Amino acid sequence: MRAGTPAIVTGEARYSGDCRKEGMLFARVARSPHSRALITAVSASEALALPGAAAVLIASDIPGENLIGMTGKKHQPVMAETDTRFMGEAVAVVAAETRAVAMEAARSVRVEYEPLPAVHSVEESMAPEAPRLGPEGNVAWQGRVTRGDFERAAREADVVLTGVYRTPPVDHAYIETESVLAEPEVGGMRVWSSSKNVHLDQREIARVLGWPKERIRVTAPTIGGNFGGKPDLPQLCMAALLCERTGRPVLLEMSREESLQVSTKRHPVVFHMTHCADRRGRLLGVKMEAYADAGAYLDYTVPVMQRIVIHGAGPYRVENVLLEGWGYYTNNPLSGAMRGFGVPQVTFACERQMDRLADALGLDPIDIRIMNALQTGDRTATGQVLESPVGLGEALNKARELIPAEEWTGSQEDTSHTGWGVACFHYGNGLTAMPNRGTAVVRLLEGGRIQLAIGSPDVGQGSNLALGQLAAEALGLEVSHVEVLSADTSLTPDSGSSSGTRVTYVVGNAVVSAARSFGEELAQRAAAVLGTDRAALSLELSAGRPVLRSDNFEFGLAELYEELGDQERPLEVTGTFDPPTTSLDPATGQGAPYGAYTFGVQLAKVSVDHYTGKVGVERIVSLLDVGTVVNPLLLRGQVEGGCAMGIGYALLEEIELQGGRVVNDNFDRYLLPTAVDVCDVTLVIIGAADSTGPYGAKGIGEPATIPTAAAIANAVSRAAQIDVRQLPLSLERVSAALAEREEGGFR
Amino acid sequence: MLYRVRLIVNGQQVRLEVPVETTLAELLRDHLGLLGTKIGCGKGECGACTVLLDGEAIYSCLVLSCSVDGRTVTTIEGLGGREALDPVQQSFLEAGAVQCGYCTSGMIMSAKAFLDSEPDPSVEAIRAALSGNLCRCTGYATVIEAVALAAERIRTLRSTESADG
């Protein structure tokens, strides 16, 4: 099954930064050099006076609201007006005839600042003397999931194990940086955005411009990677503002340095974990306190922290949980959504605890997980009953079979140790504890073509192909008969975002529903046109072409289209699906936040160099319960790509902030895994069809990366007999731990 | 200050005047409209801008246009159109080596130069040859398979050609 499109390998595919329009201006943002400062004066006259400068806009030029957000919170300004809260925050934006003039004009915007004391960590933000950063203090979000009686469980337990774990901020590091083109259209504006949600983009631009949203058309061209990160909403709105002001097309690009400084990051989190178990290893209680850096404004911290507390006990059967989380404001770049929404972080903390618990009890790491793994019919930490089949236990048993016992123990060589590690995860598909309807439209177009229209963009993961396959299956046709159109506010319905592992599961269900109704509608219309009985007609393939067939004739879709009246064209059917979720009780966090969960186990084999601390990942085995597999090649791509991202998270990646400045602001110092850093990934599919997914399918986009860093951390801990509590496992960190182990630290 | 630059780009003679600071990547994209060459970092780290300069893979974001006057450049557009894909392009498509595709042009150009010098590479050699091109989507396994597949395909083509000759 093909995954790529020919336009990409020929270089013809166009990304938003490739848009070139007649009369196009180049834009550039003037950004704050302070993490926290009052803006006392702004002067644009020098910038505007430059030959070739076309416009300079500041916050007071915004005709609509100067507050935006990817979630329901609208807390962040497009451009700072009175004060700046993180380094690199936009203060002004310029448009000019050339890039060079735009750069110079951005430098020529004169801004006077009065620097204020800034806060750069959760610990600083918590301190009683900390400056007040948010409207209601420095706590941006707090919440909990609680069930049973943790304190009692702790009293009754044979073992109580505590641990503190830290995870770093990391960047999405899509290879395409953020770019937006906005161009005037008759009656409005068209915006080309590298986005995961064009309909949200449209609403945000409309509020900022003070326009009705119908005047704005947002289209995603080919998207150069997303992973939860794009769009940058301030950038999107600034391009639209400049287009409105100048009446000309405006291209606003970001350099890699800008992208790494101002784009959102994976939340850095400090976890305080307490696990209670009986002496056989049965979990009696789990307590978690998670403290996350929200950054300068509140947006994705809400769903990320919700995910963290919901997934805080791991995929285990635990009767007594107290899972609490806090997000704190700082003057760092915003923390946002990144592949896994906090769950890679909490999985690291939980799975280290499980291994340490196993060690404390003299148990095998796989055995203790098998004993506690969630099974079909169990309740999760939020009290949700898992009614669909849960393949976690089966995956763990299979994991045990795959690795011979002698290899599992690991080995000690002269210069290195090798060993295996294991990590489990579960991940709720779709947005958390809220309605998140997916919508799909199937249309009959001229020439008898069938078009599937969905708003959620294909962010490179191949969702257009997977959804096209689901539609074809529902219609009884081949995927080649379904043209897939996505991510255009004028031509596709609002299907919600391509995030939260919701496209296959939520949007996919809407696609199946729309396609089934469409097939029925086709047959009814054809029966009416032909004056025959609907029951006599069925949609089938004849000589490779879809037709409506009865016993004695075939009626082509092109002919049907021609026979339809003008008002019936295009023949169009909408399907929707909203996963069966409930809101969570505000006091206890109890409820059913997701319609389906993906489960899995990952095994990682590592080698750890005694002397240098270098960790090599030699092999990964990923055992996944994703329900029905829609497209094996796309699934493989997600899993291998997710593992590579997890290897980066485990070993290499950390945004280094010094006073709010990203020090490693390009790929010479922010290191990503290359082709020599990755390893073979063995993919094993486990489990049964989900009872609510489209044809039983569940999502894989985020789960692919969730357990990798945890499995590697456990493998390194086992192989080198050190106790990993912090990511990434850099050379320095591992060699320091090895030295500490060798009492005195000399070798 | 404008510099006059003459190049052969994808077999065509090109003469143009560009500001001195114009990189080869900018010349290709902004002056010639060859937008298949991407810029991911602007610092020669990600490899998305890889093109062939006299047959050798280079990072075009690090090369000033005026320094390559008189030389021959091949970009992704110079390989093959949809109707006549180069074996490397064909293999990337078939192996599923493309997700978002932003690194793909550079990957293909690096692979092209590599296979010209190393027609029968080991997997380890392919890994090393691609280590200057970052991909955030695929995890590289399918890319490595694509290059191995392309090598095989090119060898077959060559042996058929020599048998015919």
Side-chain angles (χ1 to χ4, degrees):
Chain A
M1 185 68 62
R2 113 206 123 82
T5 57
I8 286 178
V9 299
T10 60
E12 294 164 281
R14 290 291 169 259
Y15 299 73
S16 42
D18 299 331
C19 292
R20 295 291 181 273
K21 303 288 173 180
E22 189 74 33
M24 183 176 91
L25 295 166
F26 293 88
R28 182 89 185 171
V29 181
R31 298 186 178 280
S32 168
H34 302 285
S35 286
R36 182 161 178 260
L38 294 176
I39 298 170
T40 54
V42 185
S43 167
S45 52
E46 198 180 317
L48 264 177
L50 288 171
V56 181
L57 299 179
I58 61 173
S60 58
D61 295 315
I62 294 173
E65 283 178 51
N66 186 19
L67 284 175
I68 47 177
M70 294 296 296
T71 63
K73 304 287 173 198
K74 306 297 176 189
H75 185 216
Q76 182 182 10
V78 177
M79 289 181 275
E81 181 152 21
T82 55
D83 63 315
T84 69
R85 302 193 193 176
F86 68 96
M87 195 169 291
E89 184 168 13
V91 177
V93 65
V94 306
E97 300 295 335
T98 66
R99 268 196 205 93
V101 177
M103 298 268 271
E104 198 184 340
R107 278 196 300 268
S108 304
V109 176
R110 298 293 162 220
V111 186
E112 287 175 30
Y113 297 98
E114 189 183 314
L116 297 171
V119 170
H120 292 302
S121 68
V122 167
E123 290 81 358
E124 285 175 31
S125 185
M126 282 174 159
E129 70 277 11
R132 186 184 158 113
L133 302 179
E136 281 135 32
N138 287 358
V139 175
W141 185 88
Q142 59 181 316
R144 55 157 57 177
V145 167
T146 177
R147 192 162 159 261
D149 183 348
F150 174 80
E151 296 305 332
R152 189 174 146 201
R155 283 194 302 275
E156 292 173 359
D158 297 315
V159 189
V160 176
L161 185 91
T162 61
V164 179
Y165 303 88
R166 293 168 193 275
T167 67
V170 301
D171 194 82
H172 307 82
Y174 18 67
I175 307 300
E176 175 207 37
T177 60
E178 299 80 352
S179 284
V180 183
L181 182 116
E183 57 174 328
E185 259 195 352
V186 178
M189 185 184 295
R190 183 152 193 206
V191 180
W192 299 85
S193 166
S194 191
S195 172
K196 64 182 173 191
N197 190 344
V198 289
H199 290 83
L200 179 135
D201 292 1
Q202 181 194 36
R203 291 193 294 273
E204 294 303 283
I205 294 169
R207 279 195 310 107
V208 169
L209 292 181
W211 285 11
K213 71 179 170 65
E214 293 69 27
R215 287 181 65 195
I216 298 152
R217 175 179 182 186
V218 183
T219 307
T222 311
I223 294 170
N226 191 294
F227 316 114
K230 295 168 183 169
D232 181 79
L233 275 183
Q235 179 199 31
L236 184 80
C237 295
M238 285 187 280
L241 286 163
L242 282 170
C243 175
E244 189 239 14
R245 171 62 70 95
T246 61
R248 289 170 65 178
V250 175
L251 178 65
L252 178 49
E253 304 161 301
M254 264 199 221
S255 67
R256 179 59 62 185
E257 288 81 5
E258 271 182 299
S259 175
L260 281 167
Q261 176 66 53
V262 308
S263 70
T264 61
K265 305 288 172 267
R266 182 185 289 292
H267 283 73
V269 189
V270 180
F271 294 96
H272 294 247
M273 308 294 296
T274 308
H275 277 58
C276 309
D278 66 17
R279 63 176 58 83
R280 292 181 304 132
R282 198 168 56 93
L283 282 174
L284 301 177
V286 175
K287 181 178 167 189
M288 175 187 75
E289 293 172 12
Y291 303 94
D293 180 347
Y297 297 103
L298 179 62
D299 198 359
Y300 269 124
T301 293
V302 178
V304 166
M305 292 312 294
Q306 282 179 319
R307 289 255 184 202
I308 284 179
V309 295
I310 289 168
H311 294 82
Y316 303 112
R317 194 169 47 253
V318 195
E319 292 302 321
N320 305 291
V321 295
L322 178 55
L323 310 166
E324 298 183 282
W326 292 264
Y328 277 85
Y329 288 114
T330 65
N331 296 110
N332 290 330
L334 270 75
S335 295
M338 181 171 169
R339 200 176 198 174
F341 272 95
V343 182
Q345 290 94 309
V346 76
T347 301
F348 166 66
C350 262
E351 294 300 296
R352 281 299 298 132
Q353 282 284 100
M354 292 301 284
D355 261 35
R356 291 180 56 228
L357 191 60
D359 283 350
L361 291 163
L363 293 171
D364 176 88
I366 292 182
D367 288 342
I368 195 170
R369 287 173 170 86
I370 290 173
M371 190 187 308
N372 292 289
L374 284 169
Q375 297 173 7
T376 313
D378 281 346
R379 283 183 187 276
T380 67
T382 68
Q384 181 173 3
V385 177
L386 296 168
E387 284 161 3
S388 280
V390 175
L392 186 60
E394 186 189 342
L396 281 162
N397 283 310
K398 187 79 184 171
R400 153 104 329 128
E401 284 169 30
L402 281 173
I403 311 298
E406 64 278 12
E407 206 189 317
W408 175 242
T409 334
S411 62
Q412 310 284 313
E413 309 289 334
D414 287 345
T415 60
S416 69
H417 317 275
T418 61
W420 284 87
V422 59
C424 297
F425 75 94
H426 68 318
Y427 192 75
N429 290 199
L431 306 190
T432 300
M434 61 193 282
N436 64 120
R437 193 169 71 174
T439 306
V441 167
V442 183
R443 304 183 174 113
L444 182 66
L445 300 178
E446 191 169 9
R449 293 177 299 132
I450 299 171
Q451 182 187 69
L452 168 65
I454 53 244
S456 310
D458 186 328
V459 292
Q461 85 284 43
S463 57
N464 281 358
L465 174 58
L467 296 175
Q469 285 181 259
L470 290 173
E473 183 74 23
L475 289 165
L477 302 176
E478 301 288 331
V479 67
S480 59
H481 299 119
V482 181
E483 298 179 9
V484 183
L485 178 70
S486 65
D488 184 326
T489 56
S490 290
L491 301 175
T492 66
D494 182 356
S495 316
S497 66
S498 295
S499 67
T501 304
R502 66 183 291 282
V503 177
T504 298
Y505 174 66
V506 178
V507 183
N509 264 318
V511 166
V512 171
S513 159
R516 282 184 181 144
S517 308
F518 177 80
E520 177 59 30
E521 190 69 20
L522 279 185
Q524 285 185 15
R525 296 293 182 95
V529 168
L530 297 167
T532 58
D533 181 12
R534 185 267 165 263
L537 291 171
S538 61
L539 184 61
E540 287 176 26
L541 283 177
S542 170
R545 187 177 79 106
V547 296
L548 288 151
R549 174 182 288 166
S550 77
D551 287 344
N552 49 8
F553 67 90
E554 290 175 358
F555 188 48
L557 299 187
E559 292 80 1
L560 172 60
Y561 182 87
E562 291 306 319
E563 293 291 334
L564 293 173
D566 280 342
Q567 65 276 37
E568 296 173 300
R569 294 182 193 154
L571 192 161
E572 183 172 296
V573 173
T574 300
T576 62
F577 175 77
D578 209 342
T581 63
T582 68
S583 60
L584 300 183
D585 182 280
T588 64
Q590 294 297 292
Y594 309 104
Y597 292 84
T598 301
F599 294 89
V601 177
Q602 212 165 74
L603 303 169
K605 183 186 184 188
V606 303
S607 65
V608 183
D609 189 301
H610 276 317
Y611 295 97
T612 64
K614 182 167 173 52
V615 176
V617 184
E618 297 187 349
R619 195 181 156 201
I620 289 176
V621 182
S622 197
L623 304 104
L624 292 168
D625 167 12
V626 292
T628 305
V629 174
V630 177
N631 183 313
L633 188 56
L634 292 179
L635 175 66
R636 186 189 157 196
Q638 286 301 295
V639 173
E640 289 172 347
C643 287
M645 193 173 266
I647 289 171
Y649 192 45
L651 303 182
L652 300 171
E653 295 179 41
E654 176 164 20
I655 288 286
E656 292 170 35
L657 288 161
Q658 281 179 10
R661 178 182 299 283
V662 175
V663 177
N664 48 350
D665 65 354
N666 207 320
F667 295 144
D668 52 344
R669 282 175 293 169
Y670 186 86
L671 299 181
L672 299 179
T674 71
V676 297
D677 299 313
V678 298
C679 62
D680 282 342
V681 177
T682 307
L683 173 58
V684 182
I685 296 302
I686 299 285
D690 184 80
S691 54
T692 60
Y695 297 103
K698 297 189 284 194
I700 185 56
E702 296 171 284
T705 207
I706 285 171
T708 307
I712 292 170
N714 280 340
V716 170
S717 297
R718 273 166 55 85
Q721 288 157 2
I722 59 177
D723 183 359
V724 171
R725 304 283 184 96
Q726 187 169 2
L727 297 177
L729 295 165
S730 59
L731 281 180
E732 296 77 8
R733 195 162 280 145
V734 176
S735 56
L738 288 167
E740 200 176 311
R741 193 198 65 184
E742 302 287 318
E743 294 162 318
F746 296 102
R747 52 175 72 244
Chain B
M1 183 166 179
L2 293 180
Y3 266 72
R4 223 177 316 179
V5 182
R6 295 159 306 143
L7 293 168
I8 297 172
V9 179
N10 299 335
Q12 303 269 313
Q13 286 270 1
V14 172
R15 285 160 186 275
L16 67 174
E17 291 193 338
V18 295
V20 61
E21 70 272 16
T22 308
T23 65
L24 179 57
E26 289 166 341
L27 178 142
L28 294 168
R29 288 179 54 81
D30 296 334
H31 297 264
L32 300 180
L34 294 170
L35 294 157
T37 299
K38 306 302 184 195
I39 300 175
C41 70
K43 293 287 189 293
E45 295 292 339
C46 76
C49 66
T50 306
V51 300
L52 305 187
L53 182 65
D54 294 331
E56 202 182 313
I58 53 124
Y59 295 144
S60 63
C61 76
L62 286 187
V63 174
L64 284 183
S65 302
C66 54
S67 74
V68 294
D69 187 39
R71 301 179 67 177
T72 299
V73 176
T74 308
T75 72
I76 189 76
E77 291 90 349
L79 290 193
R82 286 195 201 202
E83 306 310 316
L85 290 178
D86 182 275
V88 182
Q89 293 173 310
Q90 183 73 39
S91 303
F92 268 64
L93 203 54
E94 284 176 17
V98 176
Q99 285 189 34
C100 88
Y102 204 77
C103 72
T104 304
S105 298
M107 283 279 187
I108 289 176
M109 299 315 287
S110 287
K112 183 80 186 156
F114 171 64
L115 294 177
D116 282 345
S117 65
E118 179 59 74
D120 193 5
S122 67
V123 166
E124 287 318 304
I126 295 173
R127 275 188 200 281
L130 296 177
S131 64
N133 292 77
L134 296 175
C135 170
R136 192 58 154 171
C137 296
T138 63
Y140 304 101
T142 49
V143 178
I144 292 161
E145 284 176 20
V147 176
L149 179 64
E152 195 185 316
R153 191 167 264 155
I154 293 166
R155 288 197 303 274
T156 310
L157 281 173
R158 290 206 178 127
S159 65
T160 317
E161 276 165 23
S162 56
D164 290 348

